[in-house]
Amino acid sequence: MTEPAAGLVVVDKPAGLTSHGVVARVRRLAGTRKVGHAGTLDPMATGVLVLGVGRATRLLGHLMLTEKGYAATIRLGVATTTDDAEGEVTATAEPGAVAAVDASAVRSVLAGFVGEIDQVPTAVSAIKVDGKRAYQRVRDGEEVALAARRVTVHELAVGDVRRTAADGVDVIDVDVTLRCSSGTYVRAIARDAGAALRLGGHLTALRRTAVGPYGLAEAHTLEQLQETYAALPLADAARAAFPARDLDPREAGAVRVGRALDVPLDGLTALFAPDGEFLALYEPRDGAARAVAVFC
């Protein structure tokens, strides 16, 4: 089988499937084992999962650093071991405590998460602690204490705030949308908002709406990909995700052998040959434009 051209596949991940499960499906569809993803989604979560095929896998580490968009539902009044609906319930708020919190208080607390914040990741994250994933340590019965990390929530909009009951417990469900930096845990925002309101909190739904420039409009379900395999060509993917610079033949020749260039760049930049071929990612460093990754 001829290996498919390098490119990005933007998947609308279904609930109940791991990110690695999506990679396995796309490997079969693309006819190659060289498939990776730009940041995982929990099995409960749905939405945009960006996969790289062939040489495009080398773009993924850089795409992981871009901002992401989410739509989520936070449930206030119940805390869980995983800060989402898949965990075991650890605490429930008294009905009177839930009744005492109004929508304006909920909106005020959530507004406090906009901007740069120090966030402690959820204990069941994929962060490594002494070489072992945090979630694996939790599963093995270990106590896990993760250090706070500085993240940025660029925007957090609160939609519907509604009172309901879940398993006989009074709760408040809150719909939110947000844009945030890579490494932000929306589950941790739910947890911390619940703690601030002294109710406890967790996520009941999470949908990733964007990874950098790639959104749901570009995403395909696995069923659609089964019918028609569709990958964004490597050059198009690079132009969409990074600032672009078109080179003259001399400059392109230098890039092909990995040489530094005496050209001004504004951060990490995708460089293209005169014929449109994507050559490399370069960045300004030590007074010149230098290679970060070469693709030609």
Side-chain angles (χ1 to χ4, degrees):
M1 180 182 293
T2 302
E3 184 167 307
L8 294 185
V9 178
V10 184
V11 178
D12 186 349
K13 188 188 89 64
L17 192 62
T18 66
S19 298
H20 294 298
V22 175
V23 168
R25 293 276 294 274
V26 173
R27 280 173 175 164
R28 291 194 292 271
L29 294 174
T32 177
R33 289 197 56 80
K34 198 170 184 182
V35 178
H37 57 73
T40 61
L41 273 176
D42 296 330
M44 181 191 84
T46 67
V48 176
L49 184 66
V50 178
L51 308 184
V53 177
R55 287 182 298 140
T57 57
R58 297 170 63 191
L59 278 180
L60 298 179
H62 304 290
L63 288 174
M64 288 176 66
L65 302 177
T66 61
E67 72 175 39
K68 298 176 174 64
Y70 294 94
T73 299
I74 297 170
R75 175 157 291 169
L76 300 170
V78 178
T80 72
T81 53
T82 58
D83 304 326
D84 64 23
E86 295 190 323
E88 297 179 4
V89 173
T90 59
T92 58
E94 293 294 330
V98 175
V101 173
D102 60 18
S104 62
V106 172
R107 294 177 184 278
S108 177
V109 163
L110 286 169
F113 290 93
V114 177
E116 288 192 356
I117 60 174
D118 291 319
Q119 183 185 75
V120 177
T122 180
V124 290
S125 68
I127 294 171
K128 286 188 176 181
V129 179
D130 295 331
K132 188 176 179 181
R133 300 289 185 187
Y135 63 74
Q136 189 60 56
R137 290 185 178 278
V138 172
R139 290 173 184 168
D140 293 342
E142 300 178 36
E143 291 288 334
V144 175
L146 298 175
R149 296 183 170 194
R150 180 58 61 95
V151 299
T152 302
V153 177
H154 302 289
E155 179 183 18
L156 192 158
V158 179
D160 191 30
V161 180
R162 56 195 177 276
R163 298 182 184 276
T164 185
D167 298 323
V169 177
D170 291 340
V171 297
I172 301 171
D173 283 349
V174 187
D175 295 332
V176 301
T177 58
L178 63 155
R179 292 186 305 108
C180 55
S181 64
S182 179
T184 303
Y185 285 87
V186 184
R187 284 179 292 165
I189 292 176
R191 176 200 66 203
D192 294 344
L197 291 163
R198 299 183 179 179
L199 298 178
H202 69 281
L203 283 187
T204 60
L206 180 66
R207 183 160 176 76
R208 188 154 67 193
T209 56
V211 175
Y214 309 111
L216 291 170
E218 294 80 34
H220 304 271
T221 65
L222 290 172
E223 290 74 19
Q224 289 171 332
L225 289 170
Q226 181 74 46
E227 294 180 4
T228 306
Y229 174 76
L232 186 65
L234 184 58
D236 293 344
R239 282 193 184 274
F242 306 98
R245 184 182 181 95
D246 295 298
L247 305 178
D248 62 32
R250 180 189 62 79
E251 292 168 336
V255 168
R256 290 184 187 280
V257 294
R259 293 177 185 164
L261 295 178
D262 184 19
V263 296
L265 298 182
D266 183 18
L268 189 63
T269 301
L271 303 184
F272 294 84
D275 63 0
E277 179 189 1
F278 173 48
L279 299 177
L281 290 174
Y282 268 48
E283 68 179 5
R285 191 170 67 249
D286 300 329
R290 301 183 186 276
V292 173
V294 177
F295 293 84
C296 53

